[in-house]
Amino acid sequence: MTNRANATLIALFLAALTLRPQIVGVGPLIPSIQNAFGTSHAVVGLLGTIPVLCMGLFAPVAAYLAAKIGTRRAMTIGLALIGVFGILRATVPSAWLVVLLTWPVGIGMGLGNALAPISVKEHFEKRPATGTGVYTTGIQIGSTSSAALAVPLAAWFGGWRGALIAISCVALFSLVAWVILTRGEEPHAAPAATVPRLPWRSGTAWLLVAIFALMGSAYYGLNAWLPDAYAERGWTAGEAGVLLAMMNLTAIPASFLIPWLSDRTGRRSPFLLGLSCFFITGSVILVAAPGIAYLGSLLAGIAQGGLFALVMTLPLDFERTPARVGALVAMMLGLGYTIAATSPFVLGAIRDVTGSFDAVLWVAAAFLMAQFFALLALTRRHPSARPV
């Protein structure tokens, strides 16, 4: 790759580090935030729900901005929203202002999340899975490190406000790095039509929506309720936390290595279907065989990291131009994240109705079984499956 391409790849990785900490890093701080304001679980729960909704609602906006002003400027706006409003959110005096300022933070995350695959299409068309693997690895590292460091940061910087300011300062660093590393890109020329036409009539697009929504529902559901499920089984909070950490840690190498292998072999289908089987096996172990729960967490983590990266690559395989990729990504992420955002609530309601987390974990496993069949249908449409 050229020096310019390498610089863009580094910039994408650094930008991706900021696309999850404002969700994942808030989770361990919620008890402190709740105690500080004396508010309800429902109100602080919005701090996790709003960004995921924004990742769905603003994916089409990201496609429009990419066409109108270019991915470089659009990503700059997204990173600025995350960093600036992340700091403002950490300084306001009331819970409802914290919730209100979560919206621009979430919008920035939604923009950046949908712009990354468009940037890969523009710069790494010959190695799309490798480019995608780099930024999805950044997402995984950002998620895992923010979950692990949120509480220590609060101890070091005087509470939850200091921790959120520190996390937001990382976003501002990524913003500066993005602007510097991508400054050599060609000026953007906006096409005559900048409003992306979403592929509503495409069966492939709807399969991608189903795959992403089912994967996201299982992932966010497990992250929300797996520790509580094992606490219900008598595990300590520390043991249950390690179980969840293993699932997120093993996703980091998988999110880069598996896409790289996919590019090297020129195949997607064996990796997609194999990882889907891994994810199903891991989730079934977690609900049916708690004695080997760490193995289940290991399998689920490897599968989740690899699958997320490969699924984010699929729009680049099916479409040829950045504009069409943007439209397909907008539909996949827009509907997929919006559906997945409801998963913690729906699974929590299942726990309330059944009185046990076993049903919750079985439903998460069912999501993944349904995803396997959607992936099986999609692989038959994949360009690599067509005769030359």
Side-chain angles (χ1 to χ4, degrees), residues 224-259:
W225 298 117
L226 186 61
D228 285 345
Y230 273 77
E232 186 177 75
R233 292 175 171 178
W235 289 39
T236 66
E239 290 169 338
V242 169
L243 189 66
L244 185 61
M246 279 186 64
M247 189 174 75
N248 285 285
L249 278 171
T250 52
I252 294 174
S255 63
F256 177 76
L257 289 175
I258 290 171

Side-chain angles (χ1 to χ4, degrees), residues 59-71 114-115 117-123 125 188-199 315-316 318-332:
V61 179
Y64 168 78
L65 285 176
K68 184 71 174 177
I69 63 175
T71 52
L115 289 165
I118 302 173
S119 182
V120 170
K121 184 65 175 179
E122 291 173 345
H123 298 95
E125 188 167 7
H188 175 70
T194 55
V195 178
R197 298 183 64 181
L198 301 186
L316 285 69
F318 282 102
E319 296 292 359
R320 298 190 176 209
T321 68
R324 290 177 66 87
V325 168
L328 186 53
V329 167
M331 184 169 167
M332 181 180 81

Side-chain angles (χ1 to χ4, degrees), residues 274-291:
L275 288 169
S276 182
C277 290
F278 266 46
F279 213 162
I280 293 168
T281 302
S283 65
V284 170
I285 288 173
L286 286 171
V287 61

Side-chain angles (χ1 to χ4, degrees), residues 166-235:
I167 288 171
S168 301
C169 285
V170 173
L172 293 179
F173 167 79
S174 295
L175 166 64
V176 173
W178 171 265
V179 171
I180 293 173
L181 289 168
T182 60
R183 66 187 184 280
E185 291 189 7
E186 297 292 334
H188 175 70
T194 55
V195 178
R197 298 183 64 181
L198 301 186
W200 297 112
R201 297 183 180 181
S202 167
T204 297
W206 283 107
L207 279 172
L208 284 170
V209 168
I211 288 164
F212 198 87
L214 289 164
M215 177 177 64
S217 295
Y219 173 72
Y220 286 111
L222 287 173
N223 270 274
W225 298 117
L226 186 61
D228 285 345
Y230 273 77
E232 186 177 75
R233 292 175 171 178
W235 289 39

Side-chain angles (χ1 to χ4, degrees), residues 16-383:
L17 291 174
T18 72
L19 298 181
R20 292 297 183 277
Q22 300 282 355
I23 303 176
V24 181
V26 165
L29 301 174
I30 280 180
S32 299
I33 298 172
Q34 189 175 8
N35 289 336
F37 294 118
T39 190
S40 67
H41 288 86
V43 170
V44 293
L46 292 173
L47 303 183
T49 299
I50 289 171
V52 180
L53 278 175
C54 285
M55 286 194 286
L57 297 175
F58 287 88
V61 179
Y64 168 78
L65 285 176
K68 184 71 174 177
I69 63 175
T71 52
R72 180 176 184 264
R73 291 179 180 175
M75 182 69 83
T76 300
I77 292 171
L79 295 175
L81 287 171
I82 296 169
V84 172
F85 284 95
I87 290 175
L88 290 176
R89 179 174 72 158
T91 61
V92 293
S94 75
W96 285 109
L97 282 174
V98 171
V99 170
L100 179 65
L101 292 177
T102 297
W103 281 101
V105 173
I107 291 169
M109 294 166 64
L111 295 178
N113 202 59
L115 289 165
I118 302 173
S119 182
V120 170
K121 184 65 175 179
E122 291 173 345
H123 298 95
F124 310 103
E125 188 167 7
K126 294 182 179 178
R127 301 288 297 275
T130 301
T132 304
V134 168
Y135 82 75
T136 55
T137 300
I139 288 175
Q140 300 289 358
I141 291 174
S143 298
T144 304
S145 58
S146 61
L149 293 175
V151 173
L153 285 172
W156 297 334
F157 296 113
W160 65 270
R161 294 183 186 275
L164 291 184
I165 288 173
I167 288 171
S168 301
C169 285
V170 173
L172 293 179
F173 167 79
S174 295
L175 166 64
V176 173
W178 171 265
V179 171
I180 293 173
L181 289 168
T182 60
R183 66 187 184 280
E185 291 189 7
E186 297 292 334
H188 175 70
T194 55
V195 178
R197 298 183 64 181
L198 301 186
W200 297 112
R201 297 183 180 181
S202 167
T204 297
W206 283 107
L207 279 172
L208 284 170
V209 168
I211 288 164
F212 198 87
L214 289 164
M215 177 177 64
S217 295
Y219 173 72
Y220 286 111
L222 287 173
N223 270 274
W225 298 117
L226 186 61
D228 285 345
Y230 273 77
E232 186 177 75
R233 292 175 171 178
W235 289 39
T236 66
E239 290 169 338
V242 169
L243 189 66
L244 185 61
M246 279 186 64
M247 189 174 75
N248 285 285
L249 278 171
T250 52
I252 294 174
S255 63
F256 177 76
L257 289 175
I258 290 171
W260 178 79
L261 287 171
S262 176
D263 263 352
R264 293 277 291 183
T265 62
R267 303 288 302 279
R268 297 276 190 265
S269 300
F271 292 97
L272 287 165
L273 297 176
L275 288 169
S276 182
C277 290
F278 266 46
F279 213 162
I280 293 168
T281 302
S283 65
V284 170
I285 288 173
L286 286 171
V287 61
I292 53 172
Y294 287 121
L295 174 62
S297 183
L298 177 72
L299 292 175
I302 292 170
Q304 182 270 320
L307 264 181
F308 177 69
L310 287 181
V311 170
M312 291 297 288
T313 304
L314 289 173
L316 285 69
D317 293 339
F318 282 102
E319 296 292 359
R320 298 190 176 209
T321 68
R324 290 177 66 87
V325 168
L328 186 53
V329 167
M331 184 169 167
M332 181 180 81
L333 299 188
L335 294 176
Y337 272 122
T338 302
I339 295 168
T342 67
S343 174
F345 172 78
V346 170
L347 294 179
I350 289 172
R351 166 63 179 83
D352 291 338
V353 170
T354 63
S356 170
F357 277 109
D358 282 358
V360 170
L361 297 181
W362 277 120
V363 171
F367 288 153
L368 297 171
M369 293 173 192
Q371 186 202 34
F372 174 83
F373 290 104
L375 280 168
L376 186 62
L378 187 77
T379 56
R380 295 172 180 171
R381 298 169 175 248
H382 194 274

